[in-house]
Amino acid sequence: MKKLLVLGILFFYFNNSFAQEERKIPFSVAISSHLIKYNQKIDAAYQDRDLERAEFLFDSLVTNHLNGTYMDNFNVYPLKGESISLEEYEKPIFLITSASWCVPGIGEIPALNDLADRFHDQIDFVVLFWDTKENLKEKVKEYTQNIKLVHIDEKTNQDSYIINKLKHALGFPMMYFMDSNKKILDIRKIVTHHSSETLSNSYSIHFNSLSKGVSLLISNLDLNSETSTTESDTIQNKDNRSEEERNIDEEYEIYKREQDSLNNNTKRKNN
């Protein structure tokens, strides 16, 4: 009976532990599950010229179904060297998907360059072009060296299942913010403005928008660091004693063992 009780307790413990583990839902699975209904609703919104509802539908899809999923691993291609898989990036990722025919605001790239120069030690800034290697070469001079420029030619890439979702499901240019484990923290559209904006105004508009993504990644990085520190401190101080108190207690334990040993020797001699 006791053995059955112990086995029952162990089964409950392990079953509960596994149930509490986070389910890592791939981005491709999540977007596929909701894309048909999303496209139907957003097409209707655009037909009605209801841009406010279209924005709401996009935000709702991201917030309720895509945030918290994990980006599928896929290969990208730099101008030099071999292909790189997404999982090889070890830092949190600020990913922008674009193409050579996309026309950015006049202040967008300068604002992104400034943020990358400042935060590249903590974040991997990656701009992914749905394009050929030749077209990417024309863009290099516009970006700081602290931004990783990569490309994917959809016709030749082997990861078509995720590439198709990234390129065609939500459109581009688009911003994806992921932690170091490739967990999606948020997805946002690149802000747009009228082409008549001055460089100064355009820079301010884009800097304010892009910096929100940087802040999200940095704050999440700090939160994870604090959590790790707290867990470490909890393990080390689980009995709530200070370092000095632990040292005193250890010395007392040593003294007590010595006294017990002396007393036992005395008893043996008397016997």
Side-chain angles (χ1 to χ4, degrees), residues 88-229:
E88 291 182 60
Y89 293 108
E90 298 179 351
K91 304 172 188 174
I93 300 176
F94 187 137
L95 173 67
I96 293 179
T97 58
S98 188
S100 59
W101 59 86
C102 293
V103 181
I106 190 173
E108 178 184 329
I109 295 178
L112 180 63
N113 286 341
D114 286 349
L115 288 167
D117 287 341
R118 181 175 177 183
F119 294 101
H120 70 277
D121 287 338
Q122 298 165 279
I123 298 171
D124 279 326
F125 290 84
V126 182
V127 179
L128 168 58
F129 286 86
W130 306 117
D131 237 318
T132 62
K133 183 177 182 178
E134 289 69 29
N135 288 337
L136 181 59
K137 289 179 180 178
E138 301 175 4
K139 293 290 183 180
V140 172
K141 60 184 179 181
E142 300 178 21
Y143 292 86
T144 174
Q145 293 182 348
N146 291 318
I147 295 177
K148 300 170 176 64
L149 297 184
V150 294
H151 70 97
I152 288 180
D153 187 342
E154 190 178 10
K155 295 179 181 179
T156 60
N157 194 272
Q158 300 300 311
D159 303 307
S160 58
Y161 73 98
I162 178 60
I163 300 307
N164 181 274
K165 297 296 183 296
L166 274 173
K167 183 178 180 181
H168 301 294
L170 298 181
F172 57 93
M174 193 70 64
M175 299 183 290
Y176 297 80
F177 307 107
M178 294 169 269
D179 68 12
S180 58
N181 295 317
K182 313 305 175 288
K183 182 178 182 178
I184 296 176
L185 305 177
D186 203 3
I187 302 172
R188 300 174 187 173
K189 296 179 180 180
I190 296 284
V191 296
T192 58
H193 57 66
H194 197 277
S195 58
S196 63
E197 284 288 355
T198 63
L199 173 59
S200 177
N201 287 344
S202 177
Y203 178 91
S204 296
I205 291 170
H206 286 290
F207 188 88
N208 289 337
S209 174
L210 296 170
S211 61
K212 291 177 182 177
V214 172
S215 297
L216 174 65
L217 292 171
I218 294 295
S219 61
N220 183 73
L221 194 62
D222 291 341
L223 179 62
N224 289 338
S225 177
E226 290 175 3
T227 301
S228 298
T229 301

Side-chain angles (χ1 to χ4, degrees), residues 10 19 49 60 65-66 77 83 101 146 166 184 208 243 263:
L10 290 174
R49 297 182 181 181
S60 178
H65 303 296
L66 302 182
Y77 299 83
S83 64
W101 59 86
N146 291 318
L166 274 173
I184 296 176
N208 289 337
E243 186 69 26
N263 292 334

Side-chain angles (χ1 to χ4, degrees), residues 18 22 36 82 84 86 94 123 148 157 185 214 224 236 240 257 261:
F18 286 123
E22 181 183 12
I36 294 177
E82 299 296 324
I84 304 170
L86 190 70
F94 187 137
I123 298 171
K148 300 170 176 64
N157 194 272
L185 305 177
V214 172
N224 289 338
Q236 293 177 6
N240 296 322
R257 285 196 297 270
S261 178

Side-chain angles (χ1 to χ4, degrees), residues 7-18:
L7 288 173
I9 293 173
L10 290 174
F11 175 81
F12 176 81
Y13 172 79
F14 285 111
N15 188 53
N16 190 53
S17 298
F18 286 123

Side-chain angles (χ1 to χ4, degrees), residues 69-94:
T69 64
Y70 287 78
M71 183 60 71
D72 306 65
N73 190 38
F74 60 93
N75 290 330
V76 295
Y77 299 83
L79 281 174
K80 297 180 180 179
E82 299 296 324
S83 64
I84 304 170
S85 65
L86 190 70
E87 64 184 12
E88 291 182 60
Y89 293 108
E90 298 179 351
K91 304 172 188 174
I93 300 176
F94 187 137

Side-chain angles (χ1 to χ4, degrees), residues 257-271:
R257 285 196 297 270
E258 290 176 348
Q259 291 299 312
D260 289 342
S261 178
L262 288 174
N263 292 334
N264 289 333
N265 288 333
T266 301
K267 289 180 179 178
R268 281 196 296 269
K269 287 179 181 180
N270 293 334
N271 294 333

